C-alpha cells in the first residue's frame, strides 16, 4: 500500500514538475535591452556628410603663411562644423623627446588649453587639433566650440578622434598635434612633416572631453557624436 502511495506521489510530481520548471525559468530577455551599441562611422560615411558646404566663416583661410591664396572655408552642419585643409604639425606644450626647441624651430612651451592638473598638453602623446584664433573671419566659440571639444580628423581612409587643444594664427587653418599626425600615418616631424592636403576636420558643437588629456574618453565621446552626426545630416 505504501508503495502504491509512493508511486502515485512520484507520478503527480512528474506531472507538475515541467510546468513548475517553466514558471521558474527566466523570461526571454527584452531584445531592446540587449541591442549592441551602433558601430562607429567609417571614414567614408563621415566624408559623405561633408560633400557640400554651408559656409559659416566670413571668408576663407590660408593653409600656410606663404600660401598664395585663401582657399579653406569653415562649413556649418547639424551638430558640427567642418573644414578641409592640410595638416601642419603642432609640437607645442610639454617638452618631450619629439617636441622641443631642437626639433621644432617654432616650439612654445605652452598650449591654449591645459590638462586637468594645469600643465600644458603633451603634443607627442595627445591627439589634438588647433583652431584659428578668433578673428573677423570666424570665432570658433560662436560655433559652439571650446577647449577640450571633440573632433574627428579624417585622412586616407582613417579616422582619429581628437580634442581641441590649441589655437593658432587667426588667418591660417589646418594644424594638429604630433600624436594626431602619427596616428593617421602622416609624417609627424615638426620640421618636415605634415601633409599639403586631404585632411578633413569635423568638430562637434557644444561637446567636451573630460579630462582633456584622456584620449580613451575622446575616442568614446567622438565615436558617439560621429554616429549622431552621420544620422542627422
Amino acid at each position: 500500500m505504501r508503495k502504491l502511495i509512493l508511486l502515485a506521489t512520484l507520478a503527480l510530481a512528474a506531472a507538475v514538475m515541467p510546468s513548475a520548471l517553466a514558471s521558474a525559468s527566466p523570461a526571454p530577455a527584452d531584445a531592446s535591452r540587449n541591442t549592441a551599441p551602433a558601430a562607429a562611422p567609417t571614414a567614408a560615411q563621415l566624408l559623405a556628410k561633408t560633400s557640400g558646404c554651408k559656409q559659416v566663416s566670413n571668408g576663407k583661410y590660408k593653409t600656410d603663411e606663404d600660401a598664395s591664396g585663401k582657399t579653406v572655408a569653415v562649413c556649418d552642419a547639424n551638430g558640427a562644423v567642418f573644414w578641409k585643409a592640410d595638416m601642419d604639425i603642432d609640437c607645442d606644450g610639454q617638452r618631450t623627446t619629439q617636441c622641443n626647441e631642437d626639433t621644432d624651430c617654432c616650439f612654445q612651451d605652452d598650449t591654449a588649453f591645459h590638462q586637468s592638473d594645469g600643465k600644458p598638453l603633451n603634443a607627442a602623446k595627445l591627439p589634438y587639433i588647433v583652431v584659428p584664433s578668433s578673428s573677423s573671419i570666424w570665432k570658433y566659440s560662436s560655433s559652439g566650440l571650446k577647449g577640450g571639444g571633440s573632433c574627428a580628423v579624417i585622412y586616407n581612409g582613417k579616422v582619429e578622434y581628437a580634442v581641441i587643444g590649441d589655437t593658432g594664427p587667426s588667418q591660417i587653418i589646418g594644424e594638429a598635434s604630433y600624436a594626431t599626425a602619427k596616428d593617421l600615418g602622416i609624417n609627424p616631424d615638426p620640421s618636415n612633416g605634415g601633409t599639403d592636403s586631404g585632411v578633413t576636420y569635423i568638430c562637434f558643437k557644444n561637446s567636451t572631453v573630460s579630462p582633456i588629456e584622456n584620449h580613451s574618453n575622446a575616442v568614446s565621446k567622438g565615436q558617439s557624436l560621429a554616429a549622431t552626426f552621420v544620422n542627422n545630416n
Side-chain angles (χ1 to χ4, degrees), residues 29 50 61 73 78-79 95 104 106 108 131 133 160-161 190 193:
T50 65
Y61 288 95
N78 189 359
R95 286 182 180 84
D104 183 2
C106 307
Q108 298 181 41
V131 293
S133 297
E160 173 68 294
Y161 292 99

Side-chain angles (χ1 to χ4, degrees), residues 181-193:
K182 182 180 179 182
D183 287 354
L184 287 170
I186 297 171
N187 179 1
D189 192 310
S191 63
N192 59 27

Side-chain angles (χ1 to χ4, degrees), residues 116-194:
S116 56
D117 61 4
K119 295 180 180 179
L121 302 181
N122 185 331
K125 181 180 178 182
L126 180 68
Y128 69 74
I129 75 155
V130 180
V131 293
S133 297
S134 296
S135 71
S136 59
I137 300 177
W138 180 55
K139 294 180 179 180
Y140 63 87
S141 59
S142 67
S143 291
L145 305 188
K146 56 186 174 182
S150 175
C151 302
V153 188
I154 304 143
Y155 177 76
N156 198 25
K158 295 181 179 180
V159 183
E160 173 68 294
Y161 292 99
V163 293
I164 297 173
D166 205 359
T167 57
S170 61
Q171 306 293 311
I172 299 174
I173 203 167
E175 189 175 6
S177 69
Y178 181 106
T180 307
K182 182 180 179 182
D183 287 354
L184 287 170
I186 297 171
N187 179 1
D189 192 310
S191 63
N192 59 27

Side-chain angles (χ1 to χ4, degrees), residues 56-77:
V56 69
S57 57
N58 181 29
K60 297 182 178 181
Y61 288 95
K62 289 184 175 184
T63 55
D64 295 290
E65 186 65 40
D66 57 358
S68 58
K70 299 179 178 181
T71 58
V72 180
V74 178
C75 309
D76 195 33

Side-chain angles (χ1 to χ4, degrees), residues 2 15-17 34 37 50 63 79 84-85 106 119-120 124 144 149 163 173 186 194 210 225 233:
R2 281 183 293 179
V16 173
M17 188 175 294
N34 293 330
T50 65
T63 55
K84 300 180 180 184
C106 307
K119 295 180 180 179
V163 293
I173 203 167
I186 297 171
S210 182
L225 292 170
N233 285 279

